[in-house]
Amino acid sequence: MINFERFTLNNGLRVLVHEDPATPMAVLNVLYDVGARDEDPSKTGFAHLFEHLMFGGSVNIPSYDEPLQRVGGENNAFTTNDITNYYIQVPAVNIETAFWLESDRMLSLAFSEKSLEVQRNVVCEEFKQRYLNQPYGDVWLNLRPLAFKKHPYQWATIGKELSHIEDATLEDVKAFFAKHYNPQNAILVVAGKVTLDEVKRLAEKWFGPIPAGEKYQRSLPQEPTQTEGRSQTIKAKVPLNAIYKAFHIGDRKSNTFYPTDLISDILSRGDSSRLYRSLVKEQQLFSEVNAYVSGDMDPGLFIVEGKLVEGVTIEAAEKAIDTELERMKAELLPADELTKVKNKIESTMVFSELNLLDRAMNLAYYELMGDAASYNKEKEKYQAVTALQIQEQANAIFADTNCSTLYYLSE
């Protein structure tokens, strides 16, 4: 259970406050409602590039890290296809420094050719190292456009191709900032040894004067229902053959998310999960195998992936995966297996609530989904899932016509 208070500034910035007097620390988390799905198809990778640019200094604070380190703080950020999230952790007595830093770069990020060139080079190098020059690194660069034909989930957060980042101009960057980085498009969460009155005073002081900006109205092309199976084969210098199967599923806010998420855990969470026990341990067809959901704001993907043991054919390996998926469709899940996987989910959520930063980020994310208070009902929603709902969802997902398969073969 995460208790919090909520208020909104006149410029539209939503602020959530979670008081925890038991810790000497405080977290300031800013979630911007912008991700890779909001990019121009001819200028992808901008949300992630901007994550880097935000650390290049603002008009009044040339060095972002220096004053933060002086007060014993640390910071980081991440970008997904749906959001960009920034956070600062500091001793609670220094929380105003975090307000100062985050508000200044929301108001007046320093745009310069030098900063853009530095961060562009950093992101290009990341693209090469993580996606182009690493074994299996380009899986998502190929699997996403295979599964999505209309929706912007067809590209990864790093972007469609390297040239989009290489060709980014200062005008492009300024336009992206003006469109997405404003109070109306952000959620601020302050958690830790703080009080509601203190946060109200600091939020008004540092964020209140920032102009609201124009509210971004999202209008994305919807992905049509997939009506036939798709496949692609890639040959590369990788140690083992691999299979990636992507099935379309509902969005994160739909009621079908909970049985779908439980299915992924039944198949792949831990050494006693179905795929590991059958395909790795007993049949010894795979060296590793995983199943997981993307959990996207718009309808996303259920992924089953695995790396084959040397000498095993792609046909035999894929047939073994399909057998386990068909079993999910044909048989009602035993009660003890369902209870076990629900308990694992609940324990994970309980442990995440012990971490102050996790609490702050969860409040921001669930507020974006509609209401931060809904986080406190998550355990109940998982516990309410029945074996029949899991079987029905397995039948809805695991159809050949709903599947895009990437065969990744070793040269």
Side-chain angles (χ1 to χ4, degrees):
M1 184 79 172
I2 307 178
N3 297 311
F4 68 94
E5 299 287 342
R6 179 197 288 117
F7 62 92
T8 304
L9 300 183
N10 291 335
N11 57 15
L13 180 67
R14 286 175 278 175
V15 185
L16 280 66
V17 184
H18 167 59
E19 299 181 18
D20 182 0
T23 175
M25 301 299 292
V27 167
L28 188 145
N29 189 91
V30 181
L31 183 153
Y32 288 94
D33 185 12
V34 55
R37 64 175 172 165
D38 300 303
E39 296 163 345
D40 184 315
S42 65
K43 298 175 182 178
T44 63
F46 269 59
H48 177 247
L49 173 63
F50 224 92
E51 175 202 320
H52 287 259
L53 285 169
M54 286 286 276
F55 291 97
S58 53
V59 170
N60 300 307
I61 310 168
S63 173
Y64 182 86
D65 287 326
E66 188 180 320
L68 185 61
Q69 290 168 355
R70 225 181 282 139
V71 297
E74 58 182 39
N75 69 89
N76 214 328
F78 62 87
T79 311
T80 73
N81 284 74
D82 295 319
I83 66 169
T84 310
N85 193 84
Y86 301 85
Y87 63 84
I88 295 177
Q89 299 182 90
V90 289
V93 293
N94 296 325
I95 187 62
E96 188 162 7
T97 299
F99 273 89
W100 169 56
L101 287 167
E102 282 299 337
S103 64
D104 200 64
R105 64 178 179 178
M106 180 187 285
L107 171 66
S108 50
L109 191 68
F111 294 103
S112 70
E113 290 289 358
K114 181 182 177 182
S115 175
L116 176 57
E117 183 64 23
V118 168
Q119 299 305 330
R120 185 166 47 203
N121 289 338
V122 170
V123 174
C124 285
E125 192 59 30
E126 181 182 345
F127 198 120
K128 293 172 186 174
Q129 292 297 323
R130 291 183 57 191
Y131 294 86
L132 301 182
N133 301 331
Q134 184 170 295
Y136 313 103
D138 63 348
V139 164
W140 282 101
L141 299 182
N142 289 282
L143 188 56
R144 281 187 176 277
L146 184 64
F148 292 103
K149 299 302 180 184
K150 294 288 185 182
H151 194 281
Y153 284 159
Q154 64 187 268
W155 59 81
T157 54
I158 198 70
K160 271 186 186 179
E161 53 190 74
L162 193 58
S163 63
H164 287 188
I165 301 302
E166 291 173 332
D167 297 339
T169 67
L170 201 57
E171 289 69 31
D172 293 333
V173 166
K174 287 180 178 179
F176 193 87
F177 181 81
K179 184 176 182 179
H180 298 290
Y181 278 75
N182 61 59
Q184 289 193 81
N185 208 42
I187 297 169
L188 170 66
V189 177
V190 185
K193 196 171 186 177
V194 296
T195 65
L196 177 62
D197 289 343
E198 177 191 18
V199 173
K200 280 185 175 180
R201 177 180 65 83
L202 292 173
E204 288 287 359
K205 176 182 177 180
W206 292 105
F207 286 93
I210 301 176
E214 289 187 25
K215 178 63 177 173
Y216 167 57
Q217 300 295 334
R218 183 175 284 111
S219 180
L220 303 178
Q222 296 304 297
E223 185 68 20
T225 301
Q226 186 172 333
T227 57
E228 60 181 10
R230 303 168 187 154
S231 66
Q232 181 182 350
T233 300
I234 293 175
K235 292 185 178 181
K237 293 179 180 179
V238 293
L240 298 168
N241 292 340
I243 297 177
Y244 302 84
K245 298 177 77 69
F247 301 87
H248 288 278
I249 57 173
D251 62 71
R252 178 61 183 83
K253 291 183 279 188
S254 68
N255 289 330
T256 60
F257 172 79
Y258 300 95
T260 303
D261 196 29
L262 285 171
I263 290 171
S264 71
D265 280 8
I266 291 162
L267 288 173
S268 160
R269 185 168 182 172
D271 292 353
S272 62
S273 62
R274 291 189 172 192
L275 291 179
Y276 181 86
R277 195 172 63 242
S278 175
L279 307 189
V280 177
K281 201 171 180 181
E282 295 172 4
Q283 300 183 60
Q284 298 182 4
L285 300 172
F286 288 84
S287 59
E288 60 179 86
V289 64
N290 294 291
Y292 52 91
V293 296
S294 57
D296 297 313
M297 290 288 189
D298 291 330
L301 297 174
F302 187 112
I303 308 293
V304 180
E305 62 174 52
K307 294 183 175 66
L308 282 62
V309 169
E310 196 168 349
V312 174
T313 66
I314 284 286
E315 293 76 16
E318 185 171 25
K319 183 178 179 181
I321 290 176
D322 291 341
T323 298
E324 289 301 323
L325 301 186
E326 286 299 320
R327 186 179 159 212
M328 290 291 308
K329 294 161 64 175
E331 301 173 6
L332 209 59
L333 194 70
D336 60 337
E337 192 174 4
L338 180 56
T339 300
K340 182 180 72 173
V341 76
K342 285 181 179 179
N343 288 344
K344 284 184 176 180
I345 287 272
E346 185 165 350
S347 66
T348 299
M349 295 186 69
V350 169
F351 278 117
S352 75
E353 289 175 19
L354 298 176
N355 184 287
L356 183 63
L357 176 59
D358 284 349
R359 275 177 269 162
M361 289 196 294
N362 280 326
L363 285 175
Y365 188 72
Y366 280 80
E367 182 70 8
L368 182 64
M369 286 202 294
D371 182 5
S374 64
Y375 176 79
N376 293 322
K377 301 173 184 175
E378 284 291 272
K379 299 186 196 79
E380 297 170 21
K381 290 179 179 178
Y382 279 107
Q383 290 294 345
V385 174
T386 66
L388 183 59
Q389 287 175 316
I390 285 178
Q391 185 182 37
E392 289 172 346
Q393 198 55 27
N395 276 279
I397 297 169
F398 301 134
D400 291 341
T401 53
N402 188 42
C403 185
S404 299
T405 306
L406 184 66
Y407 301 106
Y408 211 110
L409 306 183
S410 169
E411 288 181 344

